[in-house]
């Protein structure tokens, strides 16, 4: 199969799974804003952020190693899976032993958070194995299944039983467990696990690969999520609820990025040893730039009217923080794209050193900006943190792949989308804003027409015969 065709086919499969699940998550926001106060929603956001922080630590990030090692034809897949499972089980036991420490400080929801954490660790391990053995449809289906479980149980727990934060966390726990069981059964993982294959040498090799990804994940978390704690300390729990809602909108763009990235990570590994890999990487990156900016422009187009009907009135103001968060997602996506080179080359230490640049800048800017600028400071800190990470990786990954940035395309897209974002803050009538926004969106599509031209040709051949 042609490598572009394979990338497109896998992206289409992941699109079905991710878009469905992400859209359900987005449309759950009105339920959350109705059933939870801004303070309770802020607390939920802190708990879920904490889970994302601890997941790579407890699991030793071995689920990342699964994909790379299983896709290596020289490896024994059963041996890799078995030893990765052993590492995850050890991490779960260590995590359980730490619970009393948190209990001493009277931290709420410790046991429930731990259970969510461990369930997600096994879910991630099984999902990555399914993706590595090319069961991409099963991998994509778990996203929809998990989200449907979250949606249905949240209706029961939040609206029916009024369980608040506890109900939200129970929904996450059930979703992770059911998703993990689904992958385990449908891929028949029980046939691939054999504890007689326990091998200290394999465990060591997996850990050499995955352990550098732990500080990388922590540094990435600092850039992505630590701002919640700055907001909590300097502004308050209510502001954190507004930030949580504002972050849901860029999730649409993150969903588009995730769809592509899950397919791209597989292609990057498969093509890493090809002679013309740089041409392939540059061609894909150019289209990736267009893909992200068209998505960002489309979100800006509908942002204000969408938020006016999407959330309760006391959450509406959160739209003001979305444009900066959108731009941060764009730079984050560029960084993630280049980060696949570290995975493909099995040089994961480089991922950490470049991520720490963005994380350090993000923390410094959060200290400097959040006390005086509030949530706008969060957005600016994220933008400059991810920008620094991306530019650092452009230079650092030259030793693996020669990336030539499409500077003209990047400049035009930046100018148009920044004008779009600025227009939203003006006092012009909303009808005027929407008309101009639509014109600017069409201009973005025109600038990035190389991405959609193949689809136009296909449609013309089909309907204009």
């Amino acid at each position: 199969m042609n490598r572009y065709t394979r990338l497109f086919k896998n992206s289409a499969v992941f699109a079905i799974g991710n878009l469905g699940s992400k859209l359900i998550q987005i449309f759950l926001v009105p339920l959350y804003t109705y059933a939870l106060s801004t303070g309770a929603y802020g607390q939920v956001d802190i708990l879920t952020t904490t889970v994302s922080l601890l997941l790579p630590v407890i699991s030793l990030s071995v689920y990342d190693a699964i994909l790379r090692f299983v896709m290596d034809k020289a490896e024994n897949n059963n041996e890799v899976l078995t030893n990765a499972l052993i590492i995850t089980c050890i991490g779960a036991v260590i995590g359980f032993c730490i619970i009393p420490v948190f209990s001493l400080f009277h931290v709420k929801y410790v046991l429930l958070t731990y259970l969510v954490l461990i369930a997600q660790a096994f879910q991630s391990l099984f999902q990555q194995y399914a993706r590595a053995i090319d069961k991409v449809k099963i991998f994509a289906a778990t996203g929809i299944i998990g989200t449907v479980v979250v949606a249905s149980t949240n209706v029961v727990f939040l609206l029916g039983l009024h369980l608040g934060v506890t109900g939200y966390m129970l929904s996450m726990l059930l979703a992770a467990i059911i998703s993990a069981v689904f992958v385990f059964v449908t891929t028949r993982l029980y046939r691939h696990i054999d504890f007689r294959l326990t091998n200290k040498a394999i465990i060591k090799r997996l850990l050499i690969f995955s352990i550098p990804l732990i500080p990388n994940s922590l540094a990435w978390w600092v850039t992505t999520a630590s701002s919640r704690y700055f907001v909590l300390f300097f502004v308050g729990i209510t502001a954190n609820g507004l930030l949580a809602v504002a972050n849901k909108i860029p999730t649409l763009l993150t969903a588009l990025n995730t769809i592509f990235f899950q397919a791209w990570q597989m292609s990057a590994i498969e093509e890493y040893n090809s002679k013309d890999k740089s041409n392939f990487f540059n061609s894909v990156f150019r289209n990736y730039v267009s893909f992200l900016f068209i998505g960002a422009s489309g979100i800006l187009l509908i942002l204000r009217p969408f938020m006016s009907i999407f959330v309760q009135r006391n959450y509406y103001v959160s739209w003001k923080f979305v444009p900066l968060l959108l731009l941060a997602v764009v730079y984050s996506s560029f960084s993630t794209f280049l980060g696949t080179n570290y995975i493909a080359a099995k040089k994961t230490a480089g991922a950490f050193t470049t991520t720490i640049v963005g994380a350090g800048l993000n923390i410094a800017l959060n200290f400097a900006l959040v006390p005086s600028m509030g949530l706008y400071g969060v957005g600016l800190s994220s933008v400059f943190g991810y920008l620094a990470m991306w530019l650092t990786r452009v230079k650092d990954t030259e030793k693996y792949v020669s990336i030539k940035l499409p500077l003209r395309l990047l400049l035009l897209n930046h100018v148009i989308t920044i004008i779009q974002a600025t227009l939203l803050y003006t006092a012009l009538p909303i009808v005027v804003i929407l008309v101009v926004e639509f014109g600017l969106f069409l201009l973005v599509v025109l600038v990035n027409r190389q991405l959609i031209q193949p689809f136009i040709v296909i449609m013309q051949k089909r309907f204009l015969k």
Side-chain angles (χ1 to χ4, degrees):
M1 185 186 296
N2 178 280
R3 58 190 178 183
Y4 291 100
T5 303
R6 178 173 174 78
L7 178 59
F8 179 79
K9 180 182 176 181
N10 284 339
S11 296
V13 173
F14 292 132
I16 295 171
N18 280 284
L19 277 181
S21 61
K22 293 297 182 184
L23 285 174
I24 293 172
Q25 289 177 13
I26 291 295
F27 289 113
L28 281 174
V29 173
L31 168 64
Y32 299 146
T33 58
Y34 173 79
L36 300 170
S37 66
T38 52
Y41 199 11
Q43 190 171 29
V44 161
D45 190 57
I46 289 293
L47 290 174
T48 54
T49 300
T50 302
V51 169
S52 68
L53 165 66
L54 295 177
L55 181 59
V57 178
I58 291 297
S59 65
L60 297 178
S61 207
V62 73
Y63 50 81
D64 285 318
I66 276 283
L67 180 67
R68 184 62 185 92
F69 277 75
V70 172
M71 289 188 68
D72 189 334
K73 295 179 180 178
E75 301 288 348
N76 181 322
N77 291 355
N78 293 356
E79 192 173 43
V80 172
L81 176 61
T82 299
N83 288 279
L85 182 61
I86 290 171
I87 294 171
T88 305
C89 290
I90 293 172
V93 172
I94 294 173
F96 183 77
C97 294
I98 296 174
I99 288 179
V101 176
F102 289 96
S103 300
L104 291 175
F105 295 95
H106 304 288
V107 178
K108 293 183 178 180
Y109 311 107
V110 174
L111 180 59
L112 197 50
T113 302
Y114 165 80
L115 293 175
V116 171
L117 181 63
I118 298 307
Q120 287 191 2
F122 285 102
Q123 176 194 359
S124 298
L125 182 71
F126 298 158
Q127 278 187 305
Q128 289 293 69
Y129 187 80
R131 184 153 69 113
I133 61 175
D134 209 26
K135 300 289 186 181
V136 291
K137 292 180 180 178
I138 292 175
F139 178 88
T142 57
I144 295 178
I145 291 170
T147 310
V148 169
V149 172
V150 168
S152 57
T153 54
N154 266 321
V155 170
V156 176
F157 294 153
L158 297 183
L159 295 183
L161 300 178
H162 304 288
L163 294 179
V165 176
T166 300
Y168 185 97
M169 296 299 289
L170 283 173
S171 294
M172 288 185 61
L173 176 61
L174 288 173
I177 292 173
I178 292 172
S179 296
V181 171
F182 171 78
V183 179
F184 189 84
V185 173
T186 53
T187 56
R188 300 180 178 180
L189 289 187
Y190 47 85
R191 293 186 176 183
H192 300 271
I193 297 171
D194 184 353
F195 289 105
R196 291 173 298 180
L197 296 174
T198 301
N199 187 319
K200 291 182 180 179
I202 293 294
I203 290 176
K204 182 179 179 180
R205 289 176 58 219
L206 288 170
L207 292 177
I208 288 173
F209 180 93
S210 66
I211 284 178
L213 293 175
I214 298 173
N216 175 65
S217 296
L218 295 178
W220 192 274
W221 175 89
V222 167
T223 311
T224 305
S226 64
S227 54
R228 271 86 161 175
Y229 297 94
F230 283 95
V231 171
L232 189 64
F233 183 78
F234 289 114
V235 189
I237 193 72
T238 298
N240 210 57
L242 293 175
L243 179 62
V245 171
N247 269 311
K248 292 296 182 182
I249 306 305
T251 298
L252 292 169
L253 189 58
T254 304
L256 295 176
N257 173 53
T258 302
I259 290 163
F260 169 81
F261 177 69
Q262 288 173 342
W264 168 245
Q265 196 175 39
M266 297 172 68
S267 293
I269 293 171
E270 291 169 346
E271 296 295 329
Y272 183 72
N273 293 317
S274 65
K275 294 181 180 180
D276 64 337
K277 63 180 179 182
S278 291
N279 290 333
F280 178 55
F281 276 46
N282 280 298
S283 175
V284 173
F285 183 70
R286 182 180 179 86
N287 286 311
Y288 188 46
V289 169
S290 297
F291 179 71
L292 287 171
F293 274 104
I294 289 175
S297 179
I299 291 172
L300 290 173
L301 170 63
I302 66 171
L303 178 59
R304 283 185 61 176
F306 179 71
M307 290 293 283
S308 66
I309 62 175
F310 184 58
V311 299
Q312 296 292 312
R313 183 176 299 178
N314 54 331
Y315 284 92
Y316 174 69
V317 70
S318 61
W319 77 262
K320 294 182 178 182
F321 316 114
V322 171
L324 284 172
L325 297 174
L326 268 178
L327 185 57
V329 168
V330 170
Y331 293 148
S332 167
S333 301
F334 291 164
S335 300
T336 302
F337 181 93
L338 295 178
T340 57
N341 293 320
Y342 299 116
I343 302 294
K346 292 186 178 179
K347 303 292 184 181
T348 51
F352 168 65
T353 56
T354 53
T355 303
I356 202 68
V357 172
L361 181 59
N362 182 268
I363 288 177
L365 289 175
N366 270 317
F367 270 117
L369 301 179
V370 172
S372 59
M373 300 181 65
L375 297 184
Y376 291 108
V378 170
L380 285 172
S381 300
S382 297
V383 167
F384 287 112
Y386 283 122
L387 176 61
M389 188 193 306
W390 169 43
L391 295 179
T392 303
R393 285 188 174 183
V394 169
K395 182 65 177 176
D396 189 61
T397 57
E398 284 182 346
K399 53 189 172 231
Y400 307 122
V401 177
S402 177
I403 294 288
K404 296 179 180 179
L405 297 180
L407 296 178
R408 182 175 178 273
L409 185 67
L410 285 165
L411 178 62
L412 287 173
N413 277 305
H414 273 86
V415 169
I416 299 169
T417 51
I418 288 172
I419 293 173
Q420 264 192 283
T422 304
L423 183 65
L424 293 173
Y425 298 95
T426 64
L428 292 170
I430 189 65
V431 174
V432 175
I433 291 176
L434 287 176
V435 170
V436 179
E437 288 279 343
F438 183 70
L440 291 170
F441 171 72
L442 292 180
L443 188 57
V444 169
V445 172
L446 179 64
V447 167
N448 298 284
R449 58 189 177 277
Q450 90 284 342
L451 178 66
I452 60 176
Q453 277 177 341
F455 299 100
I456 295 174
V457 171
I458 292 172
M459 297 300 288
Q460 286 176 336
K461 289 181 178 179
R462 175 161 297 194
F463 296 107
L464 299 178
K465 292 180 179 179

